[in-house]
Amino acid sequence: INKRGCSSTSSIDVIVNPNPNVSIAPIAEACPGDTVLLSTLSDPSYNYTWFQENVQISENENEIKVQAPGNFSVTVTDSNNCRSSDTVDVLSSPVPSLIVSLQDSIYCLNGRVDLFASGFVDYQWSTGQSGPNAFFDIQSDTIIHLEAFYGNGCKLDTSFFIPKPIVQEINLPADLSFCQGTSLKVFTDF
């Protein structure tokens, strides 16, 4: 009411727009280096911005593929410029140390090499053998492949090289003769 006794009223409608609904689908622990699909609700009116460790990595997609491990987040902006964010840590177990050793460091051509692996739960060798022990017949340079599995189902693929042993020939003279009951000494430098 003013000095003259007049009054007036007016009203306005205030619309409060809700923030977009955003939630990154939960994921289980991943193996190191695995590709993981992260996703959130798809809405054509939303704009999506993805981040890894606070660095933008993708735009305008409701899902992305990332490599474990890492911290990932998405910011969703709707047509009213309202925003919401969600964050997820993609965890991975540390990779244990794989140790593969020869049971005997001396081996011969066409001989057997025994290998022993440790540090993991299960092992699959390129010959089809499984378990921590495997043997191979060495007839030439050999590449051995090994899949080592650890507790959570993750695996480590590795290969290693076993060289063919060097075979030295001993050339004796063609006219070599000696008497029965005597001995012959042969000296080599290998």
PDB file of all heavy atoms in Angstrom, residues 102-128:
ATOM      1  N   LEU A 102      65.208 -72.106 -14.564  1.00  0.00           N
ATOM      2  CA  LEU A 102      65.628 -73.426 -15.033  1.00  0.00           C
ATOM      3  C   LEU A 102      66.014 -74.246 -13.813  1.00  0.00           C
ATOM      4  O   LEU A 102      66.698 -73.754 -12.918  1.00  0.00           O
ATOM      5  CB  LEU A 102      66.850 -73.292 -15.948  1.00  0.00           C
ATOM      6  CG  LEU A 102      66.643 -72.730 -17.336  1.00  0.00           C
ATOM      7  CD1 LEU A 102      67.981 -72.377 -17.970  1.00  0.00           C
ATOM      8  CD2 LEU A 102      65.908 -73.736 -18.203  1.00  0.00           C
ATOM      9  N   GLN A 103      65.593 -75.489 -13.760  1.00  0.00           N
ATOM     10  CA  GLN A 103      65.973 -76.348 -12.644  1.00  0.00           C
ATOM     11  C   GLN A 103      67.465 -76.648 -12.686  1.00  0.00           C
ATOM     12  O   GLN A 103      68.094 -76.831 -11.677  1.00  0.00           O
ATOM     13  CB  GLN A 103      65.171 -77.647 -12.659  1.00  0.00           C
ATOM     14  CG  GLN A 103      63.676 -77.449 -12.511  1.00  0.00           C
ATOM     15  CD  GLN A 103      63.279 -76.980 -11.123  1.00  0.00           C
ATOM     16  OE1 GLN A 103      63.723 -75.940 -10.649  1.00  0.00           O
ATOM     17  NE2 GLN A 103      62.436 -77.743 -10.477  1.00  0.00           N
ATOM     18  N   ASP A 104      68.012 -76.721 -13.895  1.00  0.00           N
ATOM     19  CA  ASP A 104      69.437 -76.972 -14.063  1.00  0.00           C
ATOM     20  C   ASP A 104      69.919 -76.028 -15.157  1.00  0.00           C
ATOM     21  O   ASP A 104      69.359 -76.000 -16.247  1.00  0.00           O
ATOM     22  CB  ASP A 104      69.662 -78.431 -14.478  1.00  0.00           C
ATOM     23  CG  ASP A 104      71.137 -78.814 -14.493  1.00  0.00           C
ATOM     24  OD1 ASP A 104      71.998 -77.925 -14.316  1.00  0.00           O
ATOM     25  OD2 ASP A 104      71.427 -80.005 -14.686  1.00  0.00           O
ATOM     26  N   SER A 105      70.938 -75.247 -14.891  1.00  0.00           N
ATOM     27  CA  SER A 105      71.378 -74.241 -15.860  1.00  0.00           C
ATOM     28  C   SER A 105      72.178 -74.846 -17.015  1.00  0.00           C
ATOM     29  O   SER A 105      72.476 -74.173 -17.975  1.00  0.00           O
ATOM     30  CB  SER A 105      72.207 -73.163 -15.164  1.00  0.00           C
ATOM     31  OG  SER A 105      73.343 -73.736 -14.570  1.00  0.00           O
ATOM     32  N   ILE A 106      72.496 -76.124 -16.933  1.00  0.00           N
ATOM     33  CA  ILE A 106      73.225 -76.791 -18.019  1.00  0.00           C
ATOM     34  C   ILE A 106      72.270 -77.776 -18.677  1.00  0.00           C
ATOM     35  O   ILE A 106      71.647 -78.604 -18.010  1.00  0.00           O
ATOM     36  CB  ILE A 106      74.464 -77.532 -17.482  1.00  0.00           C
ATOM     37  CG1 ILE A 106      75.432 -76.526 -16.846  1.00  0.00           C
ATOM     38  CG2 ILE A 106      75.134 -78.326 -18.596  1.00  0.00           C
ATOM     39  CD1 ILE A 106      76.604 -77.172 -16.142  1.00  0.00           C
ATOM     40  N   TYR A 107      72.156 -77.664 -19.988  1.00  0.00           N
ATOM     41  CA  TYR A 107      71.297 -78.587 -20.722  1.00  0.00           C
ATOM     42  C   TYR A 107      71.950 -78.870 -22.072  1.00  0.00           C
ATOM     43  O   TYR A 107      72.800 -78.134 -22.541  1.00  0.00           O
ATOM     44  CB  TYR A 107      69.882 -78.032 -20.897  1.00  0.00           C
ATOM     45  CG  TYR A 107      69.812 -76.669 -21.534  1.00  0.00           C
ATOM     46  CD1 TYR A 107      69.627 -76.533 -22.907  1.00  0.00           C
ATOM     47  CD2 TYR A 107      69.918 -75.512 -20.769  1.00  0.00           C
ATOM     48  CE1 TYR A 107      69.561 -75.293 -23.500  1.00  0.00           C
ATOM     49  CE2 TYR A 107      69.850 -74.258 -21.352  1.00  0.00           C
ATOM     50  CZ  TYR A 107      69.666 -74.161 -22.719  1.00  0.00           C
ATOM     51  OH  TYR A 107      69.606 -72.926 -23.297  1.00  0.00           O
ATOM     52  N   CYS A 108      71.567 -79.994 -22.675  1.00  0.00           N
ATOM     53  CA  CYS A 108      72.190 -80.441 -23.915  1.00  0.00           C
ATOM     54  C   CYS A 108      71.180 -80.420 -25.056  1.00  0.00           C
ATOM     55  O   CYS A 108      69.976 -80.484 -24.827  1.00  0.00           O
ATOM     56  CB  CYS A 108      72.710 -81.869 -23.759  1.00  0.00           C
ATOM     57  SG  CYS A 108      73.977 -82.017 -22.489  1.00  0.00           S
ATOM     58  N   LEU A 109      71.709 -80.361 -26.279  1.00  0.00           N
ATOM     59  CA  LEU A 109      70.871 -80.439 -27.459  1.00  0.00           C
ATOM     60  C   LEU A 109      70.122 -81.767 -27.425  1.00  0.00           C
ATOM     61  O   LEU A 109      70.691 -82.802 -27.064  1.00  0.00           O
ATOM     62  CB  LEU A 109      71.733 -80.338 -28.720  1.00  0.00           C
ATOM     63  CG  LEU A 109      70.975 -80.247 -30.035  1.00  0.00           C
ATOM     64  CD1 LEU A 109      70.121 -78.996 -30.076  1.00  0.00           C
ATOM     65  CD2 LEU A 109      71.945 -80.256 -31.204  1.00  0.00           C
ATOM     66  N   ASN A 110      68.859 -81.743 -27.785  1.00  0.00           N
ATOM     67  CA  ASN A 110      67.954 -82.895 -27.727  1.00  0.00           C
ATOM     68  C   ASN A 110      67.725 -83.369 -26.293  1.00  0.00           C
ATOM     69  O   ASN A 110      67.228 -84.464 -26.075  1.00  0.00           O
ATOM     70  CB  ASN A 110      68.442 -84.050 -28.601  1.00  0.00           C
ATOM     71  CG  ASN A 110      68.531 -83.659 -30.052  1.00  0.00           C
ATOM     72  OD1 ASN A 110      67.668 -82.938 -30.551  1.00  0.00           O
ATOM     73  ND2 ASN A 110      69.573 -84.092 -30.732  1.00  0.00           N
ATOM     74  N   GLY A 111      68.106 -82.546 -25.355  1.00  0.00           N
ATOM     75  CA  GLY A 111      67.899 -82.891 -23.954  1.00  0.00           C
ATOM     76  C   GLY A 111      66.657 -82.204 -23.421  1.00  0.00           C
ATOM     77  O   GLY A 111      65.994 -81.421 -24.088  1.00  0.00           O
ATOM     78  N   ARG A 112      66.359 -82.483 -22.195  1.00  0.00           N
ATOM     79  CA  ARG A 112      65.163 -81.965 -21.540  1.00  0.00           C
ATOM     80  C   ARG A 112      65.529 -80.789 -20.654  1.00  0.00           C
ATOM     81  O   ARG A 112      66.516 -80.830 -19.924  1.00  0.00           O
ATOM     82  CB  ARG A 112      64.547 -83.089 -20.711  1.00  0.00           C
ATOM     83  CG  ARG A 112      63.313 -82.716 -19.977  1.00  0.00           C
ATOM     84  CD  ARG A 112      62.745 -83.952 -19.333  1.00  0.00           C
ATOM     85  NE  ARG A 112      62.190 -83.588 -18.041  1.00  0.00           N
ATOM     86  CZ  ARG A 112      61.286 -84.291 -17.410  1.00  0.00           C
ATOM     87  NH1 ARG A 112      60.895 -85.438 -17.929  1.00  0.00           N
ATOM     88  NH2 ARG A 112      60.822 -83.904 -16.252  1.00  0.00           N
ATOM     89  N   VAL A 113      64.720 -79.748 -20.740  1.00  0.00           N
ATOM     90  CA  VAL A 113      64.870 -78.584 -19.876  1.00  0.00           C
ATOM     91  C   VAL A 113      63.670 -78.551 -18.937  1.00  0.00           C
ATOM     92  O   VAL A 113      62.515 -78.591 -19.387  1.00  0.00           O
ATOM     93  CB  VAL A 113      64.920 -77.274 -20.709  1.00  0.00           C
ATOM     94  CG1 VAL A 113      64.906 -76.063 -19.819  1.00  0.00           C
ATOM     95  CG2 VAL A 113      66.136 -77.271 -21.597  1.00  0.00           C
ATOM     96  N   ASP A 114      63.935 -78.503 -17.651  1.00  0.00           N
ATOM     97  CA  ASP A 114      62.869 -78.418 -16.654  1.00  0.00           C
ATOM     98  C   ASP A 114      62.768 -76.980 -16.163  1.00  0.00           C
ATOM     99  O   ASP A 114      63.768 -76.382 -15.754  1.00  0.00           O
ATOM    100  CB  ASP A 114      63.162 -79.344 -15.464  1.00  0.00           C
ATOM    101  CG  ASP A 114      63.080 -80.812 -15.854  1.00  0.00           C
ATOM    102  OD1 ASP A 114      62.082 -81.191 -16.486  1.00  0.00           O
ATOM    103  OD2 ASP A 114      64.017 -81.555 -15.534  1.00  0.00           O
ATOM    104  N   LEU A 115      61.553 -76.433 -16.229  1.00  0.00           N
ATOM    105  CA  LEU A 115      61.304 -75.066 -15.788  1.00  0.00           C
ATOM    106  C   LEU A 115      60.384 -75.071 -14.581  1.00  0.00           C
ATOM    107  O   LEU A 115      59.534 -75.951 -14.431  1.00  0.00           O
ATOM    108  CB  LEU A 115      60.656 -74.253 -16.914  1.00  0.00           C
ATOM    109  CG  LEU A 115      61.489 -74.093 -18.176  1.00  0.00           C
ATOM    110  CD1 LEU A 115      60.656 -73.445 -19.264  1.00  0.00           C
ATOM    111  CD2 LEU A 115      62.720 -73.269 -17.892  1.00  0.00           C
ATOM    112  N   PHE A 116      60.556 -74.061 -13.742  1.00  0.00           N
ATOM    113  CA  PHE A 116      59.710 -73.916 -12.558  1.00  0.00           C
ATOM    114  C   PHE A 116      59.264 -72.459 -12.475  1.00  0.00           C
ATOM    115  O   PHE A 116      60.088 -71.548 -12.586  1.00  0.00           O
ATOM    116  CB  PHE A 116      60.475 -74.300 -11.288  1.00  0.00           C
ATOM    117  CG  PHE A 116      59.672 -74.099 -10.041  1.00  0.00           C
ATOM    118  CD1 PHE A 116      58.637 -74.959  -9.718  1.00  0.00           C
ATOM    119  CD2 PHE A 116      59.925 -73.019  -9.213  1.00  0.00           C
ATOM    120  CE1 PHE A 116      57.876 -74.758  -8.575  1.00  0.00           C
ATOM    121  CE2 PHE A 116      59.167 -72.816  -8.071  1.00  0.00           C
ATOM    122  CZ  PHE A 116      58.147 -73.685  -7.747  1.00  0.00           C
ATOM    123  N   ALA A 117      57.960 -72.250 -12.315  1.00  0.00           N
ATOM    124  CA  ALA A 117      57.403 -70.898 -12.200  1.00  0.00           C
ATOM    125  C   ALA A 117      56.818 -70.715 -10.806  1.00  0.00           C
ATOM    126  O   ALA A 117      56.292 -71.653 -10.204  1.00  0.00           O
ATOM    127  CB  ALA A 117      56.321 -70.686 -13.252  1.00  0.00           C
ATOM    128  N   SER A 118      56.913 -69.486 -10.302  1.00  0.00           N
ATOM    129  CA  SER A 118      56.328 -69.192  -8.993  1.00  0.00           C
ATOM    130  C   SER A 118      55.836 -67.742  -8.958  1.00  0.00           C
ATOM    131  O   SER A 118      56.193 -66.928  -9.798  1.00  0.00           O
ATOM    132  CB  SER A 118      57.361 -69.427  -7.876  1.00  0.00           C
ATOM    133  OG  SER A 118      58.453 -68.547  -8.025  1.00  0.00           O
ATOM    134  N   GLY A 119      54.996 -67.449  -7.976  1.00  0.00           N
ATOM    135  CA  GLY A 119      54.471 -66.106  -7.776  1.00  0.00           C
ATOM    136  C   GLY A 119      53.004 -65.968  -8.138  1.00  0.00           C
ATOM    137  O   GLY A 119      52.367 -64.989  -7.778  1.00  0.00           O
ATOM    138  N   PHE A 120      52.452 -66.928  -8.879  1.00  0.00           N
ATOM    139  CA  PHE A 120      51.059 -66.882  -9.310  1.00  0.00           C
ATOM    140  C   PHE A 120      50.326 -68.119  -8.795  1.00  0.00           C
ATOM    141  O   PHE A 120      50.925 -69.001  -8.182  1.00  0.00           O
ATOM    142  CB  PHE A 120      50.974 -66.799 -10.836  1.00  0.00           C
ATOM    143  CG  PHE A 120      51.287 -65.426 -11.371  1.00  0.00           C
ATOM    144  CD1 PHE A 120      52.560 -64.879 -11.255  1.00  0.00           C
ATOM    145  CD2 PHE A 120      50.303 -64.670 -11.976  1.00  0.00           C
ATOM    146  CE1 PHE A 120      52.845 -63.616 -11.735  1.00  0.00           C
ATOM    147  CE2 PHE A 120      50.577 -63.404 -12.457  1.00  0.00           C
ATOM    148  CZ  PHE A 120      51.844 -62.870 -12.340  1.00  0.00           C
ATOM    149  N   VAL A 121      49.040 -68.219  -9.111  1.00  0.00           N
ATOM    150  CA  VAL A 121      48.215 -69.325  -8.621  1.00  0.00           C
ATOM    151  C   VAL A 121      48.224 -70.509  -9.584  1.00  0.00           C
ATOM    152  O   VAL A 121      48.293 -71.659  -9.169  1.00  0.00           O
ATOM    153  CB  VAL A 121      46.761 -68.842  -8.380  1.00  0.00           C
ATOM    154  CG1 VAL A 121      45.847 -69.990  -8.009  1.00  0.00           C
ATOM    155  CG2 VAL A 121      46.739 -67.768  -7.301  1.00  0.00           C
ATOM    156  N   ASP A 122      48.158 -70.227 -10.885  1.00  0.00           N
ATOM    157  CA  ASP A 122      48.100 -71.304 -11.875  1.00  0.00           C
ATOM    158  C   ASP A 122      48.887 -70.890 -13.115  1.00  0.00           C
ATOM    159  O   ASP A 122      49.071 -69.697 -13.373  1.00  0.00           O
ATOM    160  CB  ASP A 122      46.644 -71.608 -12.248  1.00  0.00           C
ATOM    161  CG  ASP A 122      46.501 -72.932 -12.967  1.00  0.00           C
ATOM    162  OD1 ASP A 122      47.418 -73.774 -12.890  1.00  0.00           O
ATOM    163  OD2 ASP A 122      45.459 -73.141 -13.631  1.00  0.00           O
ATOM    164  N   TYR A 123      49.311 -71.892 -13.884  1.00  0.00           N
ATOM    165  CA  TYR A 123      50.176 -71.652 -15.041  1.00  0.00           C
ATOM    166  C   TYR A 123      49.725 -72.523 -16.201  1.00  0.00           C
ATOM    167  O   TYR A 123      49.380 -73.690 -16.014  1.00  0.00           O
ATOM    168  CB  TYR A 123      51.633 -71.994 -14.696  1.00  0.00           C
ATOM    169  CG  TYR A 123      52.104 -71.308 -13.440  1.00  0.00           C
ATOM    170  CD1 TYR A 123      51.911 -71.901 -12.189  1.00  0.00           C
ATOM    171  CD2 TYR A 123      52.690 -70.049 -13.491  1.00  0.00           C
ATOM    172  CE1 TYR A 123      52.316 -71.260 -11.024  1.00  0.00           C
ATOM    173  CE2 TYR A 123      53.101 -69.406 -12.332  1.00  0.00           C
ATOM    174  CZ  TYR A 123      52.905 -70.020 -11.110  1.00  0.00           C
ATOM    175  OH  TYR A 123      53.300 -69.381  -9.962  1.00  0.00           O
ATOM    176  N   GLN A 124      49.757 -71.959 -17.411  1.00  0.00           N
ATOM    177  CA  GLN A 124      49.461 -72.715 -18.633  1.00  0.00           C
ATOM    178  C   GLN A 124      50.611 -72.472 -19.603  1.00  0.00           C
ATOM    179  O   GLN A 124      50.847 -71.354 -20.033  1.00  0.00           O
ATOM    180  CB  GLN A 124      48.129 -72.252 -19.236  1.00  0.00           C
ATOM    181  CG  GLN A 124      47.677 -73.070 -20.416  1.00  0.00           C
ATOM    182  CD  GLN A 124      47.332 -74.495 -20.023  1.00  0.00           C
ATOM    183  OE1 GLN A 124      46.647 -74.747 -19.049  1.00  0.00           O
ATOM    184  NE2 GLN A 124      47.835 -75.448 -20.783  1.00  0.00           N
ATOM    185  N   TRP A 125      51.345 -73.554 -19.917  1.00  0.00           N
ATOM    186  CA  TRP A 125      52.531 -73.472 -20.775  1.00  0.00           C
ATOM    187  C   TRP A 125      52.141 -73.705 -22.224  1.00  0.00           C
ATOM    188  O   TRP A 125      51.123 -74.342 -22.513  1.00  0.00           O
ATOM    189  CB  TRP A 125      53.557 -74.507 -20.332  1.00  0.00           C
ATOM    190  CG  TRP A 125      53.991 -74.355 -18.899  1.00  0.00           C
ATOM    191  CD1 TRP A 125      53.376 -74.877 -17.807  1.00  0.00           C
ATOM    192  CD2 TRP A 125      55.117 -73.616 -18.419  1.00  0.00           C
ATOM    193  NE1 TRP A 125      54.055 -74.519 -16.667  1.00  0.00           N
ATOM    194  CE2 TRP A 125      55.128 -73.739 -17.011  1.00  0.00           C
ATOM    195  CE3 TRP A 125      56.114 -72.872 -19.030  1.00  0.00           C
ATOM    196  CZ2 TRP A 125      56.096 -73.150 -16.217  1.00  0.00           C
ATOM    197  CZ3 TRP A 125      57.085 -72.278 -18.241  1.00  0.00           C
ATOM    198  CH2 TRP A 125      57.069 -72.417 -16.851  1.00  0.00           C
ATOM    199  N   SER A 126      52.967 -73.254 -23.152  1.00  0.00           N
ATOM    200  CA  SER A 126      52.665 -73.362 -24.582  1.00  0.00           C
ATOM    201  C   SER A 126      52.603 -74.810 -25.075  1.00  0.00           C
ATOM    202  O   SER A 126      52.069 -75.064 -26.144  1.00  0.00           O
ATOM    203  CB  SER A 126      53.673 -72.566 -25.413  1.00  0.00           C
ATOM    204  OG  SER A 126      54.995 -72.936 -25.109  1.00  0.00           O
ATOM    205  N   THR A 127      53.105 -75.750 -24.316  1.00  0.00           N
ATOM    206  CA  THR A 127      53.034 -77.161 -24.708  1.00  0.00           C
ATOM    207  C   THR A 127      51.745 -77.822 -24.248  1.00  0.00           C
ATOM    208  O   THR A 127      51.544 -79.005 -24.497  1.00  0.00           O
ATOM    209  CB  THR A 127      54.197 -77.948 -24.071  1.00  0.00           C
ATOM    210  OG1 THR A 127      54.102 -77.819 -22.656  1.00  0.00           O
ATOM    211  CG2 THR A 127      55.526 -77.456 -24.583  1.00  0.00           C
ATOM    212  N   GLY A 128      50.906 -77.080 -23.552  1.00  0.00           N
ATOM    213  CA  GLY A 128      49.674 -77.649 -23.025  1.00  0.00           C
ATOM    214  C   GLY A 128      49.818 -78.117 -21.581  1.00  0.00           C
ATOM    215  O   GLY A 128      48.834 -78.493 -20.951  1.00  0.00           O
TER     216      GLY A 128
END
